[in-house]
Amino acid sequence: MMINTTYTKGLLALIAGVMLSGSVNAQVVDTLNAPPPVLKGVYADPNITVFGKRFYIYPTTDGTEGWLSTSFTCWSSPNLVDWKNEGVILDLPRDLTWAKERAWAPTIAFKNNKYYYYYSANVNIGVAVSDKPTGPFKDPLGKPLIPKGTRPGQTIDPMVFVDDDGAAYLYWGQGQCNVAKLNEDMVSLDTSKIISFKPTGYNEGPFVIKRKGIYYLMWSEYDTRDPRYSIAYATSASPMGPFKKAAGFPVLKGKGVVKGAGHHSVVQVPGKDEWYIAYHRFKIPDGDGYNRETCISPMRFDAQGHILPVNVFEKVKAVSIKK
Ligand code: FUB
């Protein structure tokens, strides 16, 4: 009798809790039905950002074994849900003299009234410049900004971060993470201080955000062809570290039909403490590490500033940028 009363009370409390919170759906994740990708087609390594009143994604074009793509596209959106293909913004055989293929993992920044686009090409890092976020972009150097072999690991996956004081930093590297300050011209590095380090589990795809004075360095672990591909992070009080890996990682990983989720970027909605993470996963259905698609999910922080685990089944809803 005693046991039954306790059991009944517990059950009623559970039902009441679910009814009050109304969150039963939020907790039961259907891992068989993932939201559709935000970009139509196979695109990976999405670099999401915001310029003025539009969001932009700069991805890698997928669909060839060995990632042999030769050009880069740009996509734009007023609300994170409806995306327009702005076309090819850099075509390696047409626009570069020093690389023709392996157009991978770009990143972009606005400074000096110009857009600076950094990208991997044949395992070197290049820079291109334009007056518009949608290009066309021109190669100002006629050679890589960072040639392959400059540091151990692959010279790929650049990420540019512009701090509140206007100083710009370039992060890059597979196998180890490197960081250097960019000079004011944005097309050369301050080589007096290049820092290289490898947080536990680090493989590639570094990305930095700053929130409430804390620098978050995020990266991808495992190989992009591995279904376990996932995202972890570390924090620092300085853009060049040292970075301390956070407990409770990975912050984003596949589940159910979502496999190989990683190589991400993060955007803050201007004027709000509202953040979204763009990442790729194996195409659903029939994808793999060469056929990946771009998704966006909300990314949240707890009261202590830890990044909360991202739900890869949470669909992004339309966001408005304040006038
Ligand atoms: O897309 C080509 C390569 O695959 C990227 O450079 C890596 O980060 C991985 O996503």
Side-chain angles (χ1 to χ4, degrees):
M1 185 63 179
M2 185 64 180
I3 291 170
N4 280 346
T5 308
T6 310
Y7 172 78
T8 308
K9 274 186 189 159
L11 192 61
L12 286 174
L14 181 69
I15 292 168
V18 165
M19 285 172 72
L20 279 176
S21 70
S23 65
V24 67
N25 286 337
Q27 286 163 22
V28 180
V29 175
D30 173 4
T31 62
L32 289 175
N33 292 292
V38 292
L39 307 187
K40 266 200 171 66
V42 278
Y43 292 94
D45 312 323
N47 190 269
I48 193 165
T49 192
V50 61
F51 295 125
K53 296 204 180 69
R54 276 187 97 73
F55 295 99
Y56 293 84
I57 290 181
Y58 299 85
T60 299
T61 306
D62 249 14
T64 51
E65 191 157 334
W67 310 286
L68 294 175
S69 58
T70 58
S71 63
F72 290 105
T73 56
C74 164
W75 299 68
S76 79
S77 167
N79 58 10
L80 292 181
V81 170
D82 306 300
W83 289 91
K84 175 181 174 214
N85 188 345
E86 300 281 0
V88 170
I89 56 165
L90 189 73
D91 182 87
L92 273 42
R94 183 189 68 198
D95 301 329
L96 302 187
T97 52
W98 50 271
K100 306 242 170 292
E101 59 188 14
R102 296 192 179 85
W104 299 350
T107 179
I108 192 164
F110 180 69
K111 203 176 149 163
N112 310 331
N113 259 337
K114 294 207 178 302
Y115 295 87
Y116 294 91
Y117 183 73
Y118 305 85
Y119 54 91
S120 324
N122 230 354
V123 198
N124 306 273
I125 289 173
V127 58
V129 190
S130 177
D131 293 329
K132 290 191 290 173
T134 49
F137 284 86
K138 298 271 176 248
D139 173 15
L141 302 178
K143 61 179 185 181
L145 169 63
I146 311 175
K148 70 174 77 163
T150 306
R151 296 259 143 180
Q154 292 187 67
T155 308
I156 61 170
D157 295 0
M159 189 271 156
V160 60
F161 169 74
V162 182
D163 209 345
D164 302 329
D165 61 2
Y169 299 84
L170 198 72
Y171 301 78
W172 77 93
Q174 182 277 335
Q176 70 172 27
C177 183
N178 311 289
V179 53
K181 224 175 183 173
L182 281 152
N183 291 324
E184 270 307 300
D185 64 10
M186 294 293 275
V187 300
S188 60
L189 287 184
D190 172 358
T191 50
S192 65
K193 189 177 169 196
I194 301 182
I195 292 178
S196 302
F197 55 101
K198 183 174 165 115
T200 313
Y202 177 93
N203 184 32
E204 60 194 7
F207 196 88
V208 170
I209 57 169
K210 186 181 186 183
R211 179 179 179 267
K212 299 190 176 174
I214 298 171
Y215 297 84
Y216 294 76
L217 169 69
M218 306 171 77
W219 63 82
S220 295
E221 306 201 337
Y222 299 101
D223 185 281
T224 190
R225 292 162 292 191
D226 187 325
R228 292 173 298 172
Y229 201 53
S230 46
I231 297 166
Y233 78 99
T235 53
S236 175
S238 144
M240 294 185 95
F243 286 93
K244 187 169 179 286
K245 189 167 180 177
F249 46 84
V251 287
L252 189 151
K253 63 175 179 177
K255 191 173 182 180
V257 289
V258 175
K259 301 195 189 325
H263 198 127
H264 75 298
S265 56
V266 174
V267 70
Q268 179 178 13
V269 180
K272 296 186 186 169
D273 188 22
E274 194 177 329
W275 302 75
Y276 291 86
I277 183 164
Y279 54 96
H280 69 235
R281 66 183 186 208
F282 291 180
K283 178 178 168 293
I284 299 174
D286 305 329
D288 55 21
Y290 302 117
N291 293 281
R292 302 165 292 178
E293 56 191 8
T294 287
C295 304
I296 299 178
S297 296
M299 188 180 99
R300 302 182 180 92
F301 297 80
D302 71 10
Q304 287 72 45
H306 305 120
I307 301 177
L308 291 167
V310 173
N311 176 3
V312 290
F313 292 87
E314 186 174 354
K315 199 174 165 174
V316 60
K317 295 195 188 92
V319 160
S320 61
I321 299 178
K322 266 201 261 165
K323 303 272 174 238

